[in-house]
Amino acid sequence: MAASSRRTQDLLMDDKWDHCVDLSLRRFVYSSLAGAATGLVLFRSPTSRWAALAFGAGCGIGSAYTDCSRILDGHLPQFTAPAAARAAPVAPAPAAPAAAAAAAAAAASAAAGASGSSDQLPQD
């Protein structure tokens, strides 16, 4: 009895995958054609026409992925970022003391020049 139940579940999952593949191909083709027709009517540049086609194809694949995820009850793989990308960001190395002092002096001189102190005025 358990073997029969397992076989039924496998057939059901095969039917779901067949339906998802069919749905994905149809949506990809139809939305690509819609994007190409829209690009042909609205745009003059070949680059813009290709962009409209690519946008249509992306919309078709995205909607098929969403529906297949619902059909397969979340049995699609979940992609996560690599461990290196999830690690805490690395703080920048501190500046050398001489470079920091030079930068501070330059900032102070720029601030004094911008404030318009009396010793900086031109002499007549």
Side-chain angles (χ1 to χ4, degrees):
M1 180 104 169
S4 155
S5 173
R6 176 75 178 150
R7 180 71 177 145
T8 304
Q9 289 176 352
D10 287 344
L11 289 176
L12 182 61
M13 188 58 82
D14 287 345
D15 287 341
K16 287 181 180 181
W17 274 103
D18 286 344
H19 180 68
C20 282
V21 168
D22 180 53
L23 179 75
S24 298
L25 287 175
R26 279 189 290 122
R27 290 210 178 157
F28 174 74
V29 170
Y30 292 153
S31 61
S32 295
L33 289 174
T38 302
L40 189 63
V41 171
L42 295 179
F43 303 117
R44 295 179 67 189
S45 166
T47 305
S48 299
R49 289 178 178 174
W50 278 107
L53 184 137
F55 180 76
C59 288
I61 290 293
S63 67
Y65 180 84
T66 302
D67 283 352
C68 286
S69 176
R70 182 185 49 80
I71 290 168
L72 294 173
D73 299 323
H75 292 295
L76 293 176
Q78 299 295 322
F79 299 109
T80 58
R86 288 180 291 190
V90 177
S109 111
S115 67
S117 62
S118 63
D119 60 351
Q120 298 289 329
L121 294 176
Q123 301 293 327
D124 285 339

